[in-house]
Amino acid sequence: EVESALKRAAEAISKCDALIFTAGAGMGVDSGLPDFRGSTGLFKDRSVAMSYEEMSDDKWFSEDPLFAWGINYTQLSMYRSCVPHSGYDVLLKWARNLGKPYHVWTSNIDGMFEKVGFPPELIYACHGDLHHLQCTKDRRTCKGLEPDGSDEVWSADVIPKDLDEEVDEGALRFRSAESLERSCFLCSRCGRLARPNVWFCHDKNYNVSRASIERGNGFNKWLAELQDRQAAVVVIECGGGLAIPSVRVQGEDAVEGSGKGSLLVRLNPVHCKVPAERGVGIPLGSMEGLLRLDAEVERLRGRKEKV
């Protein structure tokens, strides 16, 4: 059954007009990253009695900044040191070698697609990313100096990479307030505490960056044009979860509105159920699934070259 699903998916990839690569938290598991809610969750074996949703709240930056930045610095440190698994390389190879237009749409905040070499302008991260910062103050109060507000979000590269020892690993919090008095944790305009440019589960102050708006609009326009001419669009969905199904819904909607030959390829070891007519579910993790799917794609390409 898995083999037939892989063959169907590979045939659709070879014949389609465009590709969309979508990814949720499950995509990073094979790279050693947590999935936040499952057995490999970031908060597993910690001394913090909270759910992920309770921790993912911008209120902590005002109520308990040591805790807020302890969580987020722990994640940032993980993302910086993480090596993307070989499934990312498969997607990049397809993007470069198959000659088909493509976009990346992800709910992940880890920056792995950029790290592996995808052009940033073709990546839309719907929840922002941990590699950029913004002020904790309302943007109406702390406005950027540039007319377009492009300086309201800045790179998190200013934060040092050697602060792990200052964080209590079990409690997920910085041990001392002095850690957050560094200029790298402060807004350069108003001097208040900075925060990641991430849309938390509970968030009243997420500042959507100019770049993110442009990428989102670019993706929507591109997809609309494909659907207007009823192009065949294949969505490769990797690790899209059910708790916050943004990735799953995006892929299903993209395929439903596209033309004949469109297909949703859902890689998920547990939740791989798909719409009956235009979907194929493959019960494999992202890395294994992509590697095996690539073998089928290469087999088809080799057959065509012989003909």
Side-chain angles (χ1 to χ4, degrees), residues 183-198:
S183 60
C184 62
F185 286 109
L186 304 177
C187 173
S188 62
R189 294 187 301 276
C190 71
R192 292 182 176 86
L193 188 67
R195 51 160 280 186
N197 184 230
V198 167

Side-chain angles (χ1 to χ4, degrees), residues 215-234:
R215 293 175 192 178
N217 289 342
F219 171 81
N220 290 335
K221 180 180 179 182
W222 174 78
L223 178 58
E225 291 173 350
L226 289 170
Q227 293 179 331
D228 284 346
R229 62 184 177 89
Q230 285 296 281
V233 176
V234 169

Side-chain angles (χ1 to χ4, degrees), residues 12-13 15-19 99-101 226 229-234 260:
I13 291 171
K15 296 176 181 178
C16 74
D17 299 310
L19 291 163
K100 301 176 187 290
L226 289 170
R229 62 184 177 89
Q230 285 296 281
V233 176
V234 169
K260 184 179 179 181

Side-chain angles (χ1 to χ4, degrees), residues 125-141:
C126 66
H127 295 159
D129 71 79
L130 210 62
H131 301 282
H132 289 85
L133 304 173
Q134 65 170 80
C135 186
T136 52
K137 192 68 177 177
D138 191 303
R139 65 187 304 182
R140 293 170 296 182
T141 303

Side-chain angles (χ1 to χ4, degrees), residues 94-143:
W94 292 348
R96 290 174 172 173
N97 298 343
L98 295 184
K100 301 176 187 290
Y102 72 91
H103 270 262
V104 174
W105 199 100
T106 180
S107 63
N108 294 337
I109 60 174
D110 53 25
M112 292 299 122
F113 282 100
E114 290 89 341
K115 180 177 280 192
V116 82
F118 278 90
E121 63 272 16
L122 295 180
I123 303 169
Y124 177 59
C126 66
H127 295 159
D129 71 79
L130 210 62
H131 301 282
H132 289 85
L133 304 173
Q134 65 170 80
C135 186
T136 52
K137 192 68 177 177
D138 191 303
R139 65 187 304 182
R140 293 170 296 182
T141 303
C142 183
K143 294 182 179 180

Side-chain angles (χ1 to χ4, degrees), residues 38-49 169-172:
S39 60
T40 64
L42 172 63
F43 311 119
K44 182 176 180 290
D45 298 328
R46 310 279 185 174
S47 59
V48 184
E169 184 178 346
L172 288 171

